[in-house]
Amino acid sequence: MFRHYYITEDLDDLKEVEQELLNCGLTVPQFHVLSENDAELEKHHLHAIEAVLKKDVVHSTQLGAGIGVIGAVLILLVAYLFNWHTTAVGWIPFGFCAVVVLGFCTWEGGLIGIQTPNYQFKRFQHLLSQGMHIFFVDITPEQHSVLRDVSRNHPSLRYAGSGEATPSWVVKGQTKFSQVMKTMP
């Protein structure tokens, strides 16, 4: 999938864009609006990005876990190379220390991420602070012409580039889940 970003000030027009995309076969999990004015998005019934995804929690937690794995491996490697594991205490303190380092680094990465804007949206922070809204769409190659045609009919949308998209299996899973939830009593 490919992600395309658009900038706009007109939420009424953006609602029309979303409806046209839905009519052309795209699904709700394929597009979102990033804005600092969530109340207006709710008022216009637009599909805002979840608050947790505005921050870099997931990405920073993954980075922290990666650093933690490196730290844990180093602890175990040092214990092995210096034969500290052959003492009466064995591997237990080193294994425990490795688990603590892994957990701490993962936790710390998440805490840093809570305070940081999502790495995918950092380039839009200046526009968001000016009251602009960022509309992004994740599309398959077959849907590219649909997005192009719809965006051409709405001059208030300004193309702002492309980026890393949500994996297609996640979008399909969200779509199926939404369908199941609508059919449930």
Side-chain angles (χ1 to χ4, degrees):
M1 294 192 88
F2 304 99
R3 176 168 288 174
H4 295 279
Y5 294 97
Y6 294 89
I7 303 166
T8 187
E9 294 179 88
D10 189 354
L11 292 179
D12 293 322
D13 188 48
L14 197 52
K15 181 64 181 171
E16 290 178 27
V17 170
E18 282 193 2
Q19 191 57 51
E20 287 179 31
L21 291 173
L22 286 170
N23 293 342
C24 291
L26 273 75
T27 59
V28 171
Q30 287 182 268
F31 49 84
H32 296 281
V33 181
L34 176 64
S35 176
E36 288 188 353
N37 193 346
D38 290 336
E40 281 297 313
L41 295 181
E42 184 70 29
K43 182 177 153 186
H44 285 82
H45 305 288
L46 292 167
H47 300 95
I49 188 168
E50 292 81 11
V52 70
L53 296 178
K54 288 182 179 181
K55 298 295 182 181
D56 204 31
V57 177
V58 175
H59 182 249
S60 294
T61 301
Q62 290 173 334
L63 288 175
I67 292 169
V69 166
I70 292 169
V73 167
L74 285 174
I75 289 169
L76 296 175
L77 185 64
V78 167
Y80 176 77
L81 291 176
F82 287 103
N83 288 323
W84 292 341
H85 66 286
T86 60
T87 64
V89 294
W91 281 105
I92 293 175
F94 306 108
F96 180 75
C97 185
V99 168
V100 168
V101 166
L102 172 63
F104 178 77
C105 290
T106 304
W107 173 67
E108 192 63 31
L111 286 178
I112 291 169
I114 288 172
Q115 303 167 34
T116 309
N118 189 313
Y119 74 101
Q120 294 177 330
F121 307 138
K122 279 184 182 179
R123 61 182 165 172
F124 300 118
Q125 289 304 310
H126 180 67
L127 294 168
L128 290 169
S129 66
Q130 293 177 347
M132 303 295 252
H133 312 284
I134 310 303
F135 178 65
F136 59 94
V137 186
D138 295 336
I139 57 170
T140 63
E142 299 81 30
Q143 296 169 327
H144 186 73
S145 62
V146 170
L147 179 61
R148 185 185 63 235
D149 293 342
V150 170
S151 63
R152 281 183 184 164
N153 294 334
H154 297 274
S156 69
L157 283 180
R158 293 187 318 248
Y159 187 71
S162 59
E164 182 182 331
T166 304
S168 61
W169 63 270
V170 173
V171 172
K172 289 176 185 173
Q174 289 174 331
T175 302
K176 295 286 185 194
F177 179 76
S178 178
Q179 291 170 348
V180 167
M181 293 308 290
K182 286 180 182 177
T183 59
M184 297 297 287

